[in-house]
Amino acid sequence: MPMIIAPSILAGDFARLGEEARRCEESGADWLHLDVMDGCFVPNLTFGAPVIAALRPHSKLFFDVHLMLEQPERWLEDYRKAGADGMTLHLETGGAALPESLRRIRTLGAKAALSVRPATPAEAMFPYLDMLDMALVMTVEPGFGGQSFLPEMLPKIKALRGEIARRGLNVRLQVDGGIDERTIPMARAAGADVFVAGSAVFKAADMAAAIDGLRAAAGES
């Protein structure tokens, strides 16, 4: 599959979020990644559905919404109405409600994705793969931006890519955490095709050049 670059607006200027969303689109990003954190599942607070709804008129990009929440099933309709094109749940918060939540996301007309934290093995996601449009391997501990890529996650990426291929599934494989020109080739070689990049994009002097540099480093111009 063609690779996707999804800048994480968590690394942007929160006083200028509309402008930051437009800047991503104008700079050649494919998606916009939006990290929703509730201060419970992860030790940080970011923003919720009203902020995403306010951002939606500022960008035509695919809104890739990562729900780092306890009981995310309570809020799926709200995030879809706010403008989420895809919603990622965490395996660790889903429990018995997880299959129904994934089905509900698709029923609402959005793409369904599932994420695992670094300590959760790849095999834990295998039973859900046929319910997914995308699997996400966190390559840092979720909660804060600016962390370093964990190379020990590469075997997990490879395992998921191998299982997706073995079963002939049309499931994208995303990585999030510490993605830059040094780490993206490793993640791409392991089988990832969607890359969330925060600081490497938003802190660059030239965002468009940074996005082009990521593509080039991953072997796709």
Side-chain angles (χ1 to χ4, degrees), residues 82-169:
D85 296 300
M87 286 182 268
T88 301
L89 308 180
H90 264 269
L91 186 149
E92 299 86 0
T93 67
L98 187 53
E100 179 55 33
S101 295
L102 293 169
R103 284 191 288 269
R104 183 63 181 152
I105 290 171
R106 284 177 157 179
T107 299
L108 291 168
K111 300 294 186 182
L114 188 63
S115 179
V116 287
R117 302 178 84 146
T120 304
E123 292 75 14
M125 200 183 287
F126 288 2
Y128 303 99
L129 287 176
D130 61 356
M131 306 176 195
L132 304 180
D133 298 292
M134 185 173 72
L136 166 57
V137 173
M138 290 300 301
T139 45
V140 298
E141 189 61 41
F144 293 90
Q147 300 181 66
S148 297
F149 181 90
L150 296 172
E152 56 266 38
M153 295 301 104
L154 292 170
K156 186 185 293 188
I157 299 167
K158 290 179 182 177
L160 278 164
R161 174 52 66 200
E163 184 66 10
I164 290 166
R166 185 186 72 80
R167 289 160 62 175
L169 300 173

Side-chain angles (χ1 to χ4, degrees), residues 143-207:
F144 293 90
Q147 300 181 66
S148 297
F149 181 90
L150 296 172
E152 56 266 38
M153 295 301 104
L154 292 170
K156 186 185 293 188
I157 299 167
K158 290 179 182 177
L160 278 164
R161 174 52 66 200
E163 184 66 10
I164 290 166
R166 185 186 72 80
R167 289 160 62 175
L169 300 173
N170 184 29
V171 177
R172 284 195 169 274
L173 185 49
Q174 184 179 60
V175 289
D176 181 359
I179 296 298
D180 56 25
E181 290 188 17
R182 180 185 64 84
T183 59
I184 197 171
M186 296 185 284
R188 181 62 162 162
D193 52 48
V194 182
F195 303 91
V196 177
S199 299
V201 171
F202 280 97
K203 306 307 181 189
D206 184 329
M207 181 181 282

Side-chain angles (χ1 to χ4, degrees), residues 6-89:
S8 172
I9 207 162
L10 182 65
D13 182 347
F14 273 35
R16 302 169 55 248
L17 287 180
E19 294 172 49
E20 294 285 61
R22 288 194 297 272
R23 188 161 69 105
C24 287
E25 188 168 351
E26 292 164 359
S27 297
D30 301 296
W31 294 359
L32 188 66
H33 187 81
L34 299 120
D35 287 304
V36 176
M37 304 181 191
D38 65 358
C40 296
F41 176 63
V42 292
N44 195 11
L45 285 167
T46 54
F47 47 76
V51 171
I52 293 173
L55 273 175
R56 185 71 274 185
H58 294 272
S59 176
K60 296 178 182 177
L61 290 176
F62 182 98
F63 274 18
D64 175 34
V65 178
H66 185 181
L67 296 174
M68 287 174 268
L69 308 174
E70 296 287 354
Q71 298 182 307
E73 64 276 8
R74 296 175 58 193
W75 312 108
L76 300 180
E77 286 79 4
D78 290 341
Y79 282 98
R80 179 59 177 152
K81 288 176 183 176
D85 296 300
M87 286 182 268
T88 301
L89 308 180

